[in-house]
Amino acid sequence: MNQKLLKLENLLRFHTIYRQLHSLCQRRALRQWSHGFSSAYPVWTAQLYAWPWPTEMLIGAALSQYRFLVTKKEERPRKSQLSSTKSKKVVEVWIGMTVEELARAMEKNTDYIYEALLNTAIDIDSLEADSHLDEVWIKEVIMKAGMKLKWSKLKQDKVKKNKDAVRRPQADPALLTPRSPIVTIMGHVDHGKTTLLDKLRKTQVAAMEVGGITQHIGAFLVSLPSGEKITFLDTPGHAAFSAMRARGAQVTDIVILVVAADDGVMKQTVESIQHAKDAQVPIVLAINKCDKAEADPERVKKELLAYDVVCEDYGGDVQAVPVSALTGNNLMALAEATIALAEILELKADPNGPVEGTVIESFTDKGRGPVTTAIIQRGTLRKGCVLVAGNCWAKVRSMFDENGKTIHEAHPSMPVGITGWRDLPSAGEEILEVESEPRAREVVDWRKYEQEQEKGKEDVKIIEEKRKEHQEAYQKAREKYSNVQWKKRSLLRYLEIKEQTSLKRKEEMERDSNVLPVIIKGDVDGSVEAILNIIDTYDASHECELELVHFGVGDISANDVNLAETFNGVIYGFNVNVGKVIQESAAKKGVKMKLHKIIYRLVEDLQEELSSRLPCAVEEHPVGEASILATFSITEGKKKVPVAGCRVQKGQLEKQKKFKLTRDGHVIWKGSLTSLKHHKDDISIVKTGMDCGLSLDEENMEFKVGDRIVCYEEKQIQAKTSWDPGF
């Protein structure tokens, strides 16, 4: 710009000098000309030419004006350039980002995101700060905010290194030493499994079992007179404990299948066979209760053929030993058969290095805290070892055997109770020893991180499915109103929203009155697992919704009572205790607590509670029946009223009860009588064999000879849930 101005100034100066010279020349010429022609022109003309033009002033003004215009012209493109550089804000987004993450990326709050998604097909009520958004809704929010989006290839999270603990590689066969066999006793309920083990241990385990059935996995080390040791796992036979039996089969070397000689193969017998096959574990058949007169061992062997369990008598490889757990007859033969099979299997383990094992059962003890019963499978467990199981870890504080006696070491195949857990691990979890407590925390943190990642993926899938459903519903709604004028469209939408709101309120009211929230507390993890598996079979939500509010291991606490009060639920306790203070608090708050020691009693109670939440059913109970022999009509005022002449065939007709008219087996009317007469007298009851005339509260109803009048009363009965847990 400066160069242009300089050139212009130089040009104007030259032009000014030229004009000044030109004006001087003109003045001289005018003077000479004026002397000759002064009389011919007026005076003002001479003055006009005599006055010089203010050239400097004009040129200065023009120059300043030009400078202003040039500066303005050069400022315009600069402003436009600045405005063009001031572009929309770019927001970096990625697939599956949450509401909170999008708000943070846009430098807004979460409420802004919710407002931007109003009047869209997405369900705003279901959105939380950690809800994942689909691509469509991310674009919608960015567009409404007047921003630009930039898709990042991946969410740039720091890729965490896998810090999980894993089992060691197989040890050198030269380092392996023989170990005791782990034997699981399985079979149908009440076929004598625990009694058989009781005899082997010479204890009274069966007498201590509530209801005579085992409801926990019991792990015991039994020493035989020959000096051999066998670790026995006694699994429950009840149908509810299928998961426990499966877990027992997975950690065992040999399965002793107990079948009662008088009962034969039953449902849980077949299930136990399947668990053993899935775990690829050999079976030893113990045919129990052979001391009974009705015992038939051969029938048991034949029945087992249908399930591919072929005994040695029939050319198979399954040893069959007839025993009597009650009298102890032939139990040593069963133990010898088990030891012989263990020798064939050549069971060995590595007693050195980090410990590996499996949690058989877990529970909370008041004095010891979280406790697990475990089977050691590799290494030697000692006090002070740091263990990891699932999302829990422990520094071993103490160890004890099945009799509660403190031990200092646990070798492979030994069952052991372990204390020192920070949290309670689930039954069936793998136990691994790690180097230190920081390493244990690192492993647990990694496993929790992996679980969160898996949960996030599942949430994204669910959100995508819901988004598709909402999108389809939105498209259908748009098609519905596509050919309607905007005024009518607004009215229809208003009416639809109003109807949906009323329906939603009605559904919420029905749901509140037709839902059973439950809290489950059990003594050990396996019991809670079994109860939850039963609840998973619930398939009558259309009748009453069963809502699991909370579950856990241990005695019922004040927190459980508060939860039950909040949700108007029921607390079910299995083999747990309730303190006096907790009982008084529950009674004061009106909270139901139902305690049971037998699992099927608990399930029956749960069925009764569900049934009590159902609306009462109405049943019709016949009181009397009459047949129509003749029809006629009478005049009442200006109306003709049809009347039926009847004879009571059975029971009696009571005017105050309800009646129905049947024709050819079909009910064509239900209601009340307006009159009931015997001859000309109004009566309230007509008994069997008597004739009567009656008229109905339906004036247009026509009688026909042969029709039947049934008098009945309605009684409300408590409905029963259709849920069948299978036992």
Side-chain angles (χ1 to χ4, degrees), residues 255-268:
V255 168
I256 292 181
L257 182 65
V258 179
V259 185
D262 57 339
D263 261 359
V265 176
M266 305 296 282
K267 187 176 180 180
Q268 272 65 61

Side-chain angles (χ1 to χ4, degrees), residues 586-615:
K588 187 177 179 181
K589 294 177 179 179
V591 173
K592 288 184 182 178
M593 288 193 301
K594 302 193 174 185
L595 307 179
H596 295 276
K597 294 186 179 296
I598 302 175
I599 194 164
Y600 58 80
R601 297 291 185 202
L602 185 148
V603 177
E604 287 173 359
D605 195 324
L606 182 58
Q607 285 177 301
E608 290 176 5
E609 189 65 33
L610 285 164
S611 298
S612 69
R613 301 290 175 113
L614 302 180

Side-chain angles (χ1 to χ4, degrees), residues 611-612 614-622 657-658 712-720:
S611 298
S612 69
L614 302 180
C616 292
V618 178
E619 281 191 354
E620 295 179 359
H621 292 271
K657 304 285 186 187
K658 292 190 175 182
Y712 67 94
E713 59 182 353
E714 292 180 344
K715 290 184 179 179
Q716 289 188 338
I717 60 166
Q718 183 59 56
K720 290 185 179 180

Side-chain angles (χ1 to χ4, degrees), residues 356-408:
E356 296 175 7
T358 302
V359 177
I360 297 299
E361 196 54 272
S362 59
F363 57 95
T364 301
D365 186 88
K366 283 186 178 179
R368 295 169 172 169
V371 180
T372 62
T373 301
I375 295 288
I376 305 303
Q377 295 166 312
R378 189 175 182 181
T380 302
L381 182 66
R382 297 180 178 87
K383 183 180 178 181
C385 289
V386 180
L387 307 178
V388 173
N391 292 340
C392 307
W393 68 277
K395 184 174 183 180
V396 179
R397 189 167 63 241
S398 63
M399 299 180 294
F400 53 91
D401 61 13
E402 68 273 12
N403 297 315
K405 184 180 178 182
T406 302
I407 57 176
H408 302 288

Side-chain angles (χ1 to χ4, degrees), residues 520-537:
I520 305 295
K521 295 300 289 287
D523 55 344
V524 297
D525 185 72
S527 299
V528 176
E529 179 190 23
I531 296 168
L532 295 183
N533 287 340
I534 294 169
I535 290 176
D536 285 341
T537 66

Side-chain angles (χ1 to χ4, degrees), residues 626-647:
S627 58
I628 297 176
L629 304 178
T631 62
F632 51 92
S633 61
I634 60 174
T635 303
E636 289 184 356
K638 295 182 179 180
K639 294 182 180 179
K640 286 190 175 182
V641 178
V643 176
C646 307
R647 180 171 294 164

